[in-house]
Amino acid sequence: MFELVYYSISNTEITTEIVNDILKKSRATNAKKNITGCLLFYNKVYLQLLEGEKEAVQELYEKIKRDTRHYEVTLLVEHDVPERMFPGWSMAFHESINKESDINQFINNIDFFSKNNDLQTEATDMFLRMAKHIVVK
Ligand SMILES: Cc1cc2nc3c(=O)[nH]c(=O)nc-3n(C[C@H](O)[C@H](O)[C@H](O)COP(=O)(O)O)c2cc1C
């Protein structure tokens, strides 16, 4: 099993329409390729974790990098892992959060998640720390 985390910057404000479009495509394609993961966004930043067979994940990442809806697609970590972090999620997703109370709740969730997951790996740890970083402004 292989895991990859990247972040990128959206070219436009991230609207519900854009996210729904990405998720619809992701869920259909990823399921077929046995890829799972999680997509977060906040303001104009996307943060995504992809996991699956190495070749399939890298192929998808190359495709995502060419997507003109975002730029500065930056690889944070990629490595082999013993197990998936998001089995059963062709693409889990956390909706944009704007209210301060929502942000606090989200940070608490991340804290809880990072302290209680036995499958903590470098990539997921990076993912959770970045997730926290992008919402703490
Ligand atoms: C932030 C972001 C995340 C994406 N994640 C995925 C993904 O997990 N799976 C996927 O198939 N496409 C994803 N896409 C869409 C791809 O970049 C691309 O548009 C799509 O795979 C094109 O498929 P096609 O060549 O079959 O039309 C993502 C796009 C963006 C901007």
Side-chain angles (χ1 to χ4, degrees):
M1 203 48 53
F2 182 78
E3 196 172 62
L4 178 158
V5 179
Y6 75 86
Y7 76 86
S8 65
I9 317 291
S10 176
N11 283 326
T12 59
E13 291 299 325
I14 302 174
T15 61
T16 312
E17 206 183 357
I18 294 174
V19 172
N20 284 344
D21 188 61
I22 292 172
L23 287 176
K24 199 171 154 204
K25 174 76 194 167
S26 300
R27 287 176 173 157
T29 312
N30 298 4
K32 269 187 239 152
K33 294 182 178 165
N34 209 9
I35 289 173
T36 53
C38 183
L39 176 68
L40 300 175
F41 70 85
Y42 184 69
N43 286 342
K44 285 189 170 181
V45 179
Y46 287 113
L47 182 65
Q48 190 174 32
L49 183 146
L50 299 167
E51 54 195 11
E53 291 307 319
K54 186 171 183 174
E55 215 173 290
V57 170
Q58 287 182 328
E59 197 180 296
L60 174 61
Y61 181 58
E62 289 307 312
K63 204 183 220 183
I64 290 173
K65 275 203 285 191
R66 291 193 297 269
D67 197 312
T68 54
R69 286 172 289 193
H70 62 175
Y71 63 100
E72 231 178 271
V73 182
T74 307
L75 185 66
L76 293 170
V77 64
E78 58 173 347
H79 62 180
D80 293 315
V81 287
E83 286 180 68
R84 288 175 194 265
M85 180 84 172
F86 296 94
W89 284 96
S90 55
M91 194 45 63
F93 156 69
H94 201 293
E95 226 175 307
S96 172
I97 38 182
N98 294 308
K99 289 204 310 271
E100 197 171 339
S101 58
D102 288 350
I103 292 173
N104 290 336
Q105 184 60 49
F106 183 50
I107 292 168
N108 287 340
N109 289 347
I110 292 171
D111 278 340
F112 178 80
F113 198 30
S114 55
K115 281 182 196 125
N116 290 279
N117 202 304
D118 294 338
L119 300 174
Q120 206 68 34
T121 64
E122 191 189 334
T124 49
D125 187 55
M126 168 78 85
F127 181 74
L128 294 167
R129 278 189 287 125
M130 282 293 294
K132 193 166 173 177
H133 182 74
I134 63 172
V135 294
V136 182
K137 284 269 152 71

